[in-house]
Amino acid sequence: MGGRGRSRTQRKHFAQSRENNWKYTKNDPEQQQNGTADNNNNRENSNPSWKPFVTQNIAFEEYYKEQGIVPPEEWNTFMDCLRSELPAAFRINSSSQCYLEIQAKLENDFMKSLQEEGTDGSEVVAIRPLPWYPENLAWQSTFSRKQLRKNKILERFHEFLKLQNEIGNITRQEAVSMVPPLFLDVRPDDFILDMCAAPGSKTFQLLEMIHHSAELGSLPGGMVLANDVDVQRCNLLIHQTKRMSTANLIVTNHEAQHFPSCHLKRTCGEGSEPQEVKELDIDQLLFDRVLCDVPCSGDGTLRKAPDIWRRWNAGMGNGLHGLQVQIAMRGMSLLKVGGRMVYSTCSMNPIENEAVVAEILRRCGGSVELIDVSSELPQLVRRPGLKKWKVQDKGMWLTSYNEVHDSRRAAVVPGMFPSGKGYMDAPEHGDDARRSQLRDNGSNGHSQNGVGTVQDPATPTTILDEEASTLPLERCMRIVPHDQNSGAFFIAVFHKLSPLPVAQKKHCYQPGKTTSTGNFQAQSLPKVKDINADEVEQVDSVGNQLSEVTMGDADILENGNDEATLDTDPSKIVEVKRPELIKLSSDGKAGPELVTRSRKLQMRGRWRGIDPILFYHEEAAVGQIKAFYGIKESFPFKGHLIVRNTDIDHVKRVYYVSKSVKEVLELNFLAGEQLKIAAVGLKMFERQKDVSTECVFRITSEGMPLLLPHITKQIVYASPVDFKLLLQYKSIKFGDFVDAEFREKASKLQFGCCAVILNKDKKTLSEPQVDASTIAIGCWRGRNSITVMVIALDIQELVERMLTYLEEDSDSLLLENKPLIAA
C-alpha cells in the first residue's frame, strides 16, 4: 500500500508523474525540462501543486559518499543505476498445481518469442530466470509501457502475467525482495513468524516453501504467522495471501516490538483453586524461523519510488534505529533455541543495518551468532557488511559517542556507532576543551532543506579517530543496484545458540538493574520529545510509505523502556488481563466457563472490530456434511473447523485450519486471547441460501483442492467436450450434455453441491481417482441442470490450461475467442 494516506486523486497523479519521470534521459536535460512542461499542462491545470519527481539529492550523495557504501570509482555507475527504471520481476508459486506448465510456457513460448522479436531492431528485452533463485522459479523482464501498448507479443505476455497473478500462480515482486526468505532455510514443519509482513509478498513466499513438498490432500506440519501493525495494510496482506488458499496461516495486527508470546500460565489467580486445563503440545508461542523485515527509510527502492529522492534526509535512518532494534530483539526473544532469524531492510543506511545488527549481538552476548552464508546462493552477487561508518546528526558528522552534544544524547545513542560504547565506556581522547569546542561547533549548525548543516557540509567534522567494529559484520550482506540491475537490500542471518540473558547492563544510554524477580528495570532517559513509531516517516521493505508525516531533525524516536529486548520471557511485556479462572468441559469441546466479566467480553471478541474465533462443534451439522460428501475418516476433521460469528444457528462460512494453526488458536484461547487475529483458516464450506437439500453447505473453490481426495460422494467425471460446455455456459441442462454416461450419472447425484472432474483421458473409472494433475470444479446439482460455482477468473485460467493439451476439433467451442462472464 504505497499510497496509504493519499487520496485517490493523489495516487493517480503519483502514478502519472512516476511514468513521466522515466520519459526522458538525464543526457538531454533541456528536452526533459521542456518536454515535461509541454506534456503535462493538463495535469498542472487540474492539480497546480503537482510537480515531477527529481532524481537527485545533494545530501543523499554526500552522505553515502562519506559512508563509503561503494568504492569511489563505482560511484557514477551506482548513481546512474539508481536513476534508471527498475526491471519487473515475478515468482512462480511452486505449490501451485500447474507451476510446471507455467514454467514451460515461459521457457518455450514467451522467452523464445520475445528474443525473436528483439532481433528485428526493436528494444524488447527477453525475459530470463534469475540465476540465483532455486529451480528457475523467479523471472525478470524489462519492458516499457510504450512497448506494452504497441507490441502484441508483450501485450499477450502482460495479460498472461496479470491473470496468473490474480489467481495466485505467480506473484509480482521486486527481485531483491525475494532474497531474505531464501536464507531462512525453511522446512515444511517450521513455525514461522513474519513480524512486519504487509503487503505480503514475502509471506506468500514463505507459504510456498512450506507447501512445496506437501502431498496431495495433505497439509504441512508448519505454519506462518504474518503480522502487521497497520489495519489497512493487514487487509492488503489478507488479500495477497488469500490467493494461496492455505489453512496454515494466521494474520495478526500488533506492534511488532510488543508481539505477544501467549505464555500459558498453568496456575490460577491468587486464592482460587487449580482448574483442569487441556493439555497442549505447546505452552508458549515460539518460532523456528523469524523474518524481521523491519520498517526503514527505504532508500534502496529509489528506482521504483522516485519520490524518496525529494524526501530523503539522514534523520530518517537515525529516527528508526531504536524501533528497528526493539523489533529485532523482540523477534529474537520469540525465536526457539536452534532457530534462525533473518533481519533485513531495503535501506542502504548503516545506521539501520550494521548498527542494528551490532547492537543485537551486543545485547544477546554469546547466545546468538551471526551466520556466514556466503556459500549459499552462490550466483547472488552480494557485498560484505561494513565495519566502519559514521553518524550524521543535524548536519554534523560524528565518529564516536564522545562527540555527541549533551542535548542530543537521547537522539543519538551509543548503539548507532561501530563500537557501541557509551560516553563512560569510551577511552578519553583529548581534554575537556577539545570536547567543549566540538559541542560548540555542533550548536552553530543551521538548517537547509530539512537537514542541519555546518559551515562546510561537504567536509566531515572529525576529532576522534574513526571507530571500527570488532564484530563479524562482514558476514552481513549488502546488495547494491548496479551489481545485478536490481534494487538495494541488506540482509543479516542469525542463529540462536542458547536462551537470551535475563538482563544486561547496556551502556550509559540504557542503564538498568535486575530486580529480585529477575525482571529488567530500565532507568529513565533524559526527557525529549515523545513521538509514536507511526509519526516517523517510514517505508516497508518494498518501499511503500507507511506514514505521511515528515520527520524533522528535532523528531526523535526514543529508545524507550522495552523489557522484551532484554528478557528471555516474552510474555512479561504483554499487558493483557488474563482471566482468573479457566474451565474446560471433560470432552474438551466447550469454551471456557464465563466466570469473570473479562471472559464475557472475550466471548464477544476481546479485540474491538475483530470477529471472535470459535471452534465449530455442532455435531449435527458436521455429521451432515461428512455424510453428504462421504468424507473419509482418515481426513482430520474433528476440531479443525472454526467460525467467526457467535450465532451458531446461522453460520455462513466454515473455515478449516491445520493442526499447527489449531494448536496456536487453542494456546491463544487459554492464554486470554492475547493475539489480535485478523484472518485465519481456509474457507472450506459456505451456506447456500433458500435451497432444499440434505446439506446446505457447499464446498468452496478454495477448499476443493484439499478436500477432493477425501470425498467419496457427489463426484462425477465429465468428458472434455462436456467440461468445456460447463465452463462456457456455466449452467447446462441434463439433456444438453453430449456424453450420455455423464448425463446419466449427473442426474443421479443428490440435490446440492458436487464436484465435476475432467476425464481428460476418457477412461472408464469405477471409483473416484484423484492425483496431482486432476482438474475439478465445484458445481450445484439442481432439479434439471448442473451449474458451475466458480468465478469467471478461475474459469478463464482453466480454459487456458485445457487448451495446452486438448486438441481443438470442429465440434469444440472456440472458447478463447469468446468472453467469459460470471453468473
Side-chain angles (χ1 to χ4, degrees):
M1 294 183 63
R4 190 173 77 84
R6 296 187 181 96
S7 67
R8 180 177 299 177
T9 302
Q10 288 172 324
R11 288 195 297 269
K12 178 180 178 182
H13 283 292
F14 171 79
Q16 291 173 337
S17 60
R18 183 172 165 186
E19 177 184 9
N20 176 75
N21 185 67
W22 308 121
K23 190 170 293 183
Y24 302 102
T25 64
K26 68 182 184 68
N27 295 326
D28 193 356
E30 182 177 355
Q31 182 186 12
Q32 181 174 356
Q33 192 173 32
N34 296 335
T36 301
D38 293 339
N39 291 327
N40 291 285
N41 286 333
N42 293 334
R43 293 194 197 118
E44 293 178 3
N45 291 335
S46 61
N47 185 4
S49 63
W50 180 90
K51 294 181 180 179
F53 290 123
V54 296
T55 57
Q56 63 180 5
N57 183 314
I58 295 176
F60 173 89
E61 296 190 38
E62 290 175 348
Y63 184 85
Y64 282 119
K65 278 183 179 179
E66 187 65 32
Q67 298 289 18
I69 61 170
V70 296
E73 61 271 15
E74 297 182 24
W75 181 258
N76 291 336
T77 304
F78 167 71
M79 291 300 296
D80 289 343
C81 187
L82 281 180
R83 293 186 176 109
S84 64
E85 190 172 7
L86 182 70
F90 60 92
R91 190 185 66 256
I92 302 173
N93 179 1
S94 60
S95 63
S96 169
Q97 184 186 33
C98 57
Y99 85 94
L100 292 176
E101 298 175 24
I102 294 175
Q103 200 172 47
K105 189 172 183 66
L106 290 170
E107 294 173 352
N108 301 325
D109 182 357
F110 290 115
M111 193 172 180
K112 292 181 178 180
S113 61
L114 293 179
Q115 284 177 337
E116 292 171 359
E117 188 71 16
T119 60
D120 63 3
S122 67
E123 296 181 355
V124 179
V125 179
I127 62 171
R128 63 179 182 87
L130 293 170
W132 47 265
Y133 202 97
E135 301 181 46
N136 281 356
L137 290 174
W139 291 67
Q140 185 167 285
S141 171
T142 55
F143 50 83
S144 68
R145 296 186 180 185
K146 181 178 179 181
Q147 290 171 330
L148 182 61
R149 289 193 300 266
K150 294 188 175 182
N151 187 289
K152 290 299 180 182
I153 294 179
L154 283 177
E155 182 181 4
R156 183 170 67 92
F157 173 62
H158 184 62
E159 292 300 322
F160 170 80
L161 291 184
K162 287 199 303 182
L163 173 63
Q164 300 302 327
N165 182 72
E166 291 180 30
I167 294 171
N169 291 333
I170 70 167
T171 297
R172 291 178 172 183
Q173 183 180 4
E174 185 179 351
V176 289
S177 178
M178 305 177 194
V179 175
L182 296 178
F183 286 104
L184 273 176
D185 188 27
V186 171
R187 298 163 299 185
D189 293 334
D190 283 341
F191 277 53
I192 307 168
L193 173 62
D194 191 350
M195 300 190 74
C196 310
S201 56
K202 294 184 186 67
T203 303
F204 201 100
Q205 191 176 357
L206 294 170
L207 288 168
E208 292 174 19
M209 292 175 176
I210 65 171
H211 279 278
H212 182 45
S213 58
E215 296 181 359
L216 181 69
S218 65
L219 294 172
M223 56 87 66
V224 176
L225 197 155
N227 175 72
D228 202 87
V229 65
D230 187 85
V231 174
Q232 294 182 358
R233 289 170 59 81
C234 273
N235 292 332
L236 180 63
L237 172 62
I238 293 168
H239 175 76
Q240 176 82 291
T241 54
K242 188 180 292 184
R243 303 174 303 127
M244 186 69 183
S245 299
T246 178
N248 297 66
L249 172 69
I250 299 177
V251 176
T252 60
N253 177 214
H254 289 280
E255 290 183 335
Q257 69 270 30
H258 299 138
F259 191 87
S261 68
C262 297
H263 195 284
L264 183 59
K265 292 186 177 179
R266 297 183 182 274
T267 57
C268 300
E270 185 176 350
S272 61
E273 294 294 328
Q275 302 295 325
E276 178 185 0
V277 177
K278 183 178 179 181
E279 289 295 328
L280 300 177
D281 292 337
I282 54 176
D283 59 6
Q284 183 179 359
L285 190 55
L286 297 177
F287 298 89
D288 303 285
R289 300 289 185 267
V290 173
L291 178 59
C292 189
D293 191 50
V294 296
C296 64
S297 59
D299 52 26
T301 67
L302 280 165
R303 298 183 69 184
K304 72 171 186 178
D307 58 318
I308 296 178
W309 284 106
R310 172 180 53 84
R311 296 185 288 108
W312 188 93
N313 65 74
M316 294 169 67
N318 293 352
L320 287 168
H321 171 85
L323 175 64
Q324 291 162 340
V325 171
Q326 290 178 14
I327 292 175
M329 286 301 300
R330 186 59 182 153
M332 195 63 72
S333 68
L334 293 168
L335 183 66
K336 294 179 182 178
V337 173
R340 179 179 284 201
M341 186 180 91
V342 168
Y343 174 86
S344 62
T345 75
C346 58
S347 169
M348 296 180 281
N349 196 336
I351 309 303
E352 303 177 71
N353 297 332
E354 286 88 353
V356 174
V357 171
E359 183 65 11
I360 295 170
L361 294 173
R362 286 190 291 265
R363 292 194 183 192
C364 295
S367 61
V368 169
E369 68 171 340
L370 190 61
I371 305 176
D372 181 3
V373 291
S374 57
S375 61
E376 300 180 25
L377 304 182
Q379 291 183 287
L380 175 68
V381 182
R382 85 288 298 267
R383 303 189 182 198
L386 303 178
K387 302 277 284 189
K388 296 181 179 180
W389 63 88
K390 303 173 185 177
V391 178
Q392 188 183 78
D393 181 50
K394 300 185 77 67
M396 173 179 282
W397 284 103
L398 307 171
T399 60
S400 167
Y401 189 67
N402 275 15
E403 298 180 352
V404 180
H405 193 274
D406 290 342
S407 64
R408 300 297 298 164
R409 288 192 174 174
V412 181
V413 296
M416 293 180 179
F417 295 90
S419 72
K421 293 181 179 179
Y423 177 75
M424 299 301 295
D425 299 323
E428 292 295 330
H429 291 270
D431 53 18
D432 293 339
R434 293 178 65 189
R435 204 154 35 246
S436 175
Q437 179 184 3
L438 174 67
R439 293 170 188 170
D440 292 340
N441 290 341
S443 63
N444 291 332
H446 60 276
S447 178
Q448 180 177 352
N449 296 329
V451 182
T453 59
V454 291
Q455 296 284 334
D456 184 3
T459 304
T461 303
T462 57
I463 291 181
L464 307 182
D465 294 335
E466 187 174 344
E467 290 185 356
S469 176
T470 58
L471 298 169
L473 299 180
E474 68 279 358
R475 297 178 183 177
C476 301
M477 289 171 283
R478 281 183 163 267
I479 300 176
V480 294
H482 59 288
D483 276 347
Q484 48 202 350
N485 195 16
S486 66
F489 230 81
F490 175 87
I491 304 108
V493 185
F494 295 92
H495 178 222
K496 190 171 183 178
L497 301 172
S498 62
L500 301 185
V502 175
Q504 306 171 45
K505 289 187 177 181
K506 297 303 298 178
H507 317 301
C508 68
Y509 74 99
Q510 194 177 18
K513 61 182 179 179
T514 305
T515 65
S516 58
T517 60
N519 292 336
F520 179 81
Q521 298 290 336
Q523 297 178 4
S524 299
L525 293 169
K527 292 301 291 181
V528 295
K529 179 181 177 181
D530 294 331
I531 63 172
N532 296 324
D534 58 359
E535 292 179 312
V536 181
E537 187 173 32
Q538 307 170 21
V539 295
D540 65 1
S541 63
V542 293
N544 294 327
Q545 189 173 347
L546 300 186
S547 175
E548 290 295 324
V549 180
T550 301
M551 185 190 67
D553 291 325
D555 291 335
I556 310 161
L557 184 66
E558 181 176 349
N559 192 9
N561 304 337
D562 183 16
E563 292 182 9
T565 61
L566 297 174
D567 203 321
T568 56
D569 182 1
S571 66
K572 291 178 182 177
I573 70 135
V574 183
E575 298 180 356
V576 176
K577 181 179 179 181
R578 290 187 175 89
E580 294 183 357
L581 190 61
I582 295 179
K583 288 185 178 181
L584 295 181
S585 62
S586 58
D587 59 1
K589 294 181 179 179
E593 185 178 6
L594 303 183
V595 295
T596 65
R597 183 173 180 271
S598 62
R599 293 308 290 166
K600 292 179 181 179
L601 292 174
Q602 289 173 23
M603 285 302 294
R604 293 201 301 267
R606 183 186 182 280
W607 302 95
R608 180 177 298 179
I610 300 293
D611 293 330
I613 299 171
L614 302 174
F615 284 96
Y616 192 56
H617 292 300
E618 293 298 308
E619 293 186 1
V622 174
Q624 189 181 67
I625 291 173
K626 293 180 67 176
F628 185 78
Y629 296 108
I631 298 176
K632 300 174 183 177
E633 290 297 328
S634 59
F635 183 68
F637 211 62
K638 186 177 181 180
H640 289 261
L641 300 180
I642 63 170
V643 294
R644 297 302 303 264
N645 58 302
T646 56
D647 189 356
I648 300 298
D649 295 330
H650 297 87
V651 170
K652 294 181 179 179
R653 301 172 186 89
V654 180
Y655 298 85
Y656 186 88
V657 296
S658 66
K659 181 178 182 294
S660 53
V661 171
K662 174 176 175 286
E663 291 174 353
V664 173
L665 293 179
E666 291 173 338
L667 173 65
N668 180 54
F669 191 72
L670 293 176
E673 296 188 69
Q674 295 179 31
L675 291 178
K676 184 180 179 182
I677 298 177
V680 61
L682 169 67
K683 186 173 71 173
M684 183 165 280
F685 300 106
E686 191 162 16
R687 183 186 293 270
Q688 284 294 110
K689 298 179 180 179
D690 304 324
V691 294
S692 177
T693 177
E694 293 185 10
C695 181
V696 296
F697 286 99
R698 68 176 181 88
I699 304 174
T700 65
S701 297
E702 301 96 312
M704 182 67 74
L706 177 61
L707 195 57
L708 185 61
H710 304 282
I711 62 176
T712 59
K713 299 179 181 178
Q714 295 297 101
I715 298 176
V716 62
Y717 286 83
S719 65
V721 173
D722 285 331
F723 198 86
K724 287 196 288 184
L725 280 171
L726 278 171
L727 291 179
Q728 182 180 15
Y729 294 107
K730 298 200 69 171
S731 183
I732 303 291
K733 293 182 178 181
F734 293 131
D736 293 333
F737 285 115
V738 175
D739 185 22
E741 182 180 0
F742 173 73
R743 185 190 315 129
E744 179 184 357
K745 291 184 177 180
S747 63
K748 291 181 179 180
L749 294 172
Q750 296 188 63
F751 293 111
C753 181
C754 62
V756 176
I757 299 177
L758 172 63
N759 185 7
K760 51 182 176 291
D761 298 323
K762 301 180 182 179
K763 295 180 179 179
T764 301
L765 302 173
S766 57
E767 59 181 22
Q769 295 181 5
V770 178
D771 57 34
S773 64
T774 298
I775 297 178
I777 53 175
C779 297
W780 189 267
R781 197 280 196 197
R783 293 186 178 276
N784 303 305
S785 62
I786 296 289
T787 302
V788 176
M789 307 291 286
V790 178
I791 63 174
L793 193 67
D794 290 336
I795 291 178
Q796 183 180 352
E797 191 258 350
L798 285 173
V799 169
E800 294 190 2
R801 287 184 61 192
M802 290 177 62
L803 293 177
T804 61
Y805 58 81
L806 293 179
E807 293 182 358
E808 297 295 316
D809 53 42
S810 59
D811 295 330
S812 64
L813 300 169
L814 300 177
L815 296 179
E816 66 273 22
N817 296 326
K818 296 187 179 181
L820 295 165
I821 303 174

